[in-house]
Amino acid sequence: MKESRSVSGFTKLFPMLTLLLLACGLLGGGEADPGADLPPDATVPQGDGAPVLPDQVFTVDREFWHSGFRVLLGDGRFYAEEHEFTDEVRYFVTIAATFENQGGSDTYFDGSLALVTPGGAFPAMLNANHPTVPAGLSAPGEFRFEVGPDFDPETAALLVGRPDENRAQIPLGSQGGDLVDLAPSMPTVSGTISLQLIDLHFAGAELRADRPVSYSQVEAGKLALTLYFDAVNRKGGNWSIHAQDFALILPSGSLVAPDGADLGSLPGSDDGVTTTGLYVRFLIDAPPAGTFTLRFTPGSWLVGDDGVAEGAFEFTLE
């Protein structure tokens, strides 16, 4: 009977002990999770009242061309880091990138970069990963920026280039402005300049905002027009043509000299020897439109007995 009374007494005390333990948080009631019913991207107070630091991933999935590189943008990340000792919080954005080297040397991308938002501009950090890329190949890397706490990828854009050169602009989100990727184009240009001793056969052209051969960018308001051709030399020996032998007459009637060329030497024979892969480049106004005339005046060593020392052909850009 004593044992029965003891159990009965504990039973009477159990509800009171349970209430006491719950009040102390010892039975798992504890403090409620403040973010249990909130969406995953909400700012949730921590135990000391500080907000949760942001860590947001977004996708860009766009590309641009600049200073001899084609750059493909992948995923971005907006996040914060808190200093271990000072509690200072800094905010960063990284954007994964694949760098395609379209020039002829092993080098890395070094174009001017900034993230622009309605609230300001944030230049790229110097410790970003811009790998050295072999000529004609690609390599992964990333861009890195320090930004403000209110950064929003939806309203931001990546700005590539200095104010005095052709600039690319790549929106990160739907409100980041218009896309300016500076993609090159291949206008249809064909024609022949024929003299007694030499023929130039033009069969291609390219318009670019950069010069991959020198990893440089063309000045704002201009484009680089490269004309590709083969030469047939009917004079025995080894001869040459030079950039200054060419001039481009613009639709306005003004004349511009070449910005660059790759011409090399021209071996020849009475039957004619063909040299391929030549080009001459000019800077023209953007956007280009109208009829252009390419003029060719070779050195005296390539002027025949007929005395004709100049040839030309016309082409149209739209």
Side-chain angles (χ1 to χ4, degrees), residues 142-304:
E142 73 172 11
F143 300 128
R144 191 166 189 251
F145 308 84
E146 183 169 1
V147 299
D150 298 328
F151 177 83
D152 180 5
E154 279 298 302
T155 63
L158 176 64
L159 188 64
V160 187
R162 302 188 308 270
D164 61 344
E165 65 187 17
N166 281 299
R167 280 175 146 179
Q169 178 174 302
I170 303 89
L172 305 188
S174 61
Q175 303 173 53
D178 295 331
L179 172 66
V180 181
D181 58 14
L182 301 181
S185 63
M186 306 288 288
T188 301
V189 174
S190 62
T192 297
I193 297 175
S194 184
L195 301 177
Q196 183 178 357
L197 297 180
I198 188 169
D199 295 336
L200 308 182
H201 298 289
F202 294 83
E206 186 174 28
L207 278 169
R208 297 188 67 112
D210 63 346
R211 308 176 188 87
V213 67
S214 59
Y215 298 98
S216 60
Q217 196 70 1
V218 176
E219 65 185 91
K222 300 285 187 179
L223 288 174
L225 171 65
T226 302
L227 302 173
Y228 298 99
F229 65 96
D230 299 335
V232 180
N233 180 14
R234 289 183 292 274
K235 182 173 182 177
N238 199 26
W239 306 92
S240 60
I241 57 176
H242 306 285
Q244 60 264 30
D245 297 341
F246 294 89
L248 186 66
I249 302 173
L250 306 179
S252 64
S254 58
L255 184 147
V256 294
D259 176 65
D262 185 5
L263 302 173
S265 61
L266 302 180
S269 71
D270 291 344
D271 295 330
V273 175
T274 300
T275 301
T276 62
L278 309 175
Y279 74 77
V280 60
R281 184 181 63 245
F282 300 89
L283 297 186
I284 62 175
D285 292 337
T291 299
F292 297 77
T293 300
L294 180 67
R295 192 175 72 188
F296 174 57
T297 53
S300 59
W301 50 91
L302 287 175
V303 175

Side-chain angles (χ1 to χ4, degrees), residues 43-81:
T43 298
V44 180
Q46 295 175 340
D48 59 359
V52 170
L53 300 181
D55 196 336
Q56 177 184 358
V57 175
F58 56 92
T59 299
V60 183
D61 193 24
R62 281 174 170 158
E63 60 187 353
F64 67 88
W65 284 256
H66 196 280
S67 58
F69 277 84
R70 176 190 177 207
V71 182
L72 295 83
L73 302 175
D75 288 340
R77 181 185 172 212
F78 170 45
Y79 64 98
E81 291 181 350

Side-chain angles (χ1 to χ4, degrees), residues 63-65 68-73 97-103 105-109 129-142 215:
E63 60 187 353
F64 67 88
W65 284 256
F69 277 84
R70 176 190 177 207
V71 182
L72 295 83
L73 302 175
T98 299
F99 299 89
E100 180 185 293
N101 182 351
Q102 298 190 322
S105 304
D106 298 354
T107 189
Y108 60 92
F109 179 82
N129 179 13
H130 296 186
T132 296
V133 186
L137 299 180
S138 300
E142 73 172 11
Y215 298 98

